Amino acid sequence: MGISYKNSGVDLRAAEDSTKKIGGLADATFNQHVLNGIGLFAGFYQIDLEKYPNPVVVTSIDGVGTKLKIAFALGIHDTVGQDLVNHCVNDIMTSGADPVAFTDYIGTVDLKPSTIEHIVRGMTTACKQNDCALIGGETAEMPGFYSPGEYDIAGSIIGLVNQENIINGEKIKSKDILIGIPSNGLHTNGYSLARKVILEHKKIDLKAYDSDLGMSWGEALLQIHKSYRHAIRLVRNHPGLHGISHITGGGIVGNTKRLLRGKTLNIDWQAWDVPSIFKMLQQYGEISDKEMRRTFNLGIGLVCVVDPGHSEGIFDILKSNHQEPVYIGEIK
């Protein structure tokens, strides 16, 4: 018998099965603006020109990074799909955009339809929560490229905003106030350092319950990257809002500085109670404050930069809608 694609490591039948399952899941995210189903070479999304008479397309692309290693170790694959969508949603919404369409990429060494289904089910869950349609994607089976049982995922998002509503930090000025909104853990950044501390240095069992965390280390590390869609929608049209920063790799300072055009930050690092997971990582790894602050979000996942004359009003809007805001500093 001659060599076939299947005995080279690529199972086309499994790919077809996955496509069928993905198509059914994606359909649940569609709205009247999606003009085709999954299966063509591209997805079609029609712009609502009544809602966006002066439309600007906003795009972003990202991955989940080495957080996937925790998912592999525990055999849990739906949460990383939600991580991916929420991360991308947050990124474009900092500019004032609404997320409208999402596409994904999954690369794997051995395509298992059940695993792919779990990943995409997580994506569709987050897409529905964020009112965003999953309109296409690519699943690639690449023998010899990844380690057995592993995969990588990436997502690209499209958003829309009217040009006059773009938020880009140009209004930020000295003495503007920084209002932080909590994260629910590491989100999707700092996992290479966290894994080195927990798995290599301390050799902690991911499934073991930890009373300080109130859950196992595996559960804590797989906490879903929080979507800030609701919080951003509450304040993005407020006249006192000058900028929004999504706190990812680089920490609070590294990400918020993107908006500042040469200005600097004065962060009050004592203004909030840093969650236990960060304190434990720092203690276990003997990590410096400087390294912690530039690697992790330390419990603050979003920062709103606001005019001091409007800070109380914006703070109260967020607080009355259960967003748990905290004053964390100002612009110098």
Side-chain angles (χ1 to χ4, degrees), residues 113-131:
S114 61
T115 299
I116 301 300
E117 181 181 1
H118 281 290
I119 297 168
V120 177
R121 189 177 296 279
M123 293 180 191
T124 58
T125 295
C127 279
K128 286 187 283 188
Q129 291 172 346
N130 289 289
D131 196 20

Side-chain angles (χ1 to χ4, degrees), residues 7-297:
N7 61 36
S8 297
V10 178
D11 190 340
L12 293 177
R13 185 179 295 276
E16 291 172 1
D17 290 343
S18 291
T19 299
K20 290 177 182 177
K21 291 180 179 179
I22 290 170
L25 292 169
D27 284 349
T29 71
F30 290 178
N31 55 38
Q32 70 271 26
H33 303 293
V34 180
L35 303 185
N36 66 299
I38 299 293
L40 295 180
F41 295 99
F44 300 88
Y45 190 93
Q46 186 175 52
I47 296 176
D48 181 351
L49 291 176
E50 290 189 8
K51 185 175 182 181
Y52 305 101
N54 192 18
V56 173
V57 174
V58 183
T59 68
S60 184
I61 187 168
D62 221 309
V64 177
T66 60
K67 185 174 186 177
L68 291 175
K69 289 283 190 179
I70 307 299
F72 303 153
L74 296 174
I76 297 173
H77 306 289
D78 57 334
T79 58
V80 292
Q82 294 179 67
D83 287 327
L84 183 62
V85 173
N86 288 346
H87 187 140
C88 289
V89 165
N90 292 341
D91 277 351
I92 64 164
M93 289 199 73
T94 61
S95 299
D98 291 312
V100 297
F102 186 83
T103 57
D104 70 87
Y105 169 82
I106 304 172
T108 182
V109 66
D110 181 17
L111 196 153
K112 292 181 170 58
S114 61
T115 299
I116 301 300
E117 181 181 1
H118 281 290
I119 297 168
V120 177
R121 189 177 296 279
M123 293 180 191
T124 58
T125 295
C127 279
K128 286 187 283 188
Q129 291 172 346
N130 289 289
D131 196 20
C132 180
L134 176 60
I135 63 171
E138 165 70 1
T139 302
E141 190 172 14
M142 298 185 289
F145 195 82
Y146 298 100
S147 298
E150 297 193 351
Y151 55 81
D152 194 16
I153 59 175
S156 178
I157 195 163
I158 297 172
L160 293 170
V161 62
N162 285 309
Q163 187 170 0
E164 60 273 19
N165 295 329
I166 290 174
I167 302 168
N168 60 13
E170 66 181 8
K171 296 180 181 178
I172 292 175
K173 61 184 187 305
S174 179
K175 297 187 179 180
D176 276 359
I177 303 298
L178 306 176
I179 298 177
I181 302 176
S183 68
N184 61 357
L186 274 65
H187 283 179
T188 50
N189 294 99
Y191 277 82
S192 295
L193 177 55
R195 287 172 44 248
K196 189 171 187 67
V197 171
I198 297 305
L199 300 179
E200 295 183 29
H201 181 60
K202 296 295 288 186
K203 302 187 185 305
I204 291 173
D205 180 359
L206 290 174
K207 296 180 180 179
Y209 179 85
D210 190 292
S211 58
D212 290 326
L213 294 173
M215 61 185 76
S216 70
W217 269 98
E219 290 173 310
L221 291 171
L222 284 184
Q223 289 290 298
I224 295 167
H225 192 133
K226 186 176 177 181
S227 169
Y228 291 100
R229 176 176 181 266
H230 181 53
I232 293 172
R233 285 170 64 91
L234 286 170
V235 300
R236 66 182 177 183
N237 294 321
H238 195 289
L241 181 72
H242 290 170
I244 306 174
S245 173
H246 181 205
I247 310 306
T248 55
I252 296 171
V253 173
N255 285 282
T256 308
K257 279 176 65 176
R258 300 188 197 188
L259 304 172
L260 300 188
R261 294 169 170 81
K263 301 178 184 67
T264 56
L265 297 165
N266 183 17
I267 304 292
D268 179 2
W269 297 101
Q270 310 304 316
W272 71 97
D273 186 19
V274 174
S276 295
I277 188 169
F278 298 107
K279 294 177 181 177
M280 295 167 74
L281 284 169
Q282 183 170 21
Q283 178 186 350
Y284 290 169
E286 299 179 0
I287 306 170
S288 68
D289 287 343
K290 181 179 179 181
E291 187 70 16
M292 291 293 295
R293 291 170 182 175
R294 71 181 180 186
T295 304
F296 300 110
N297 65 60

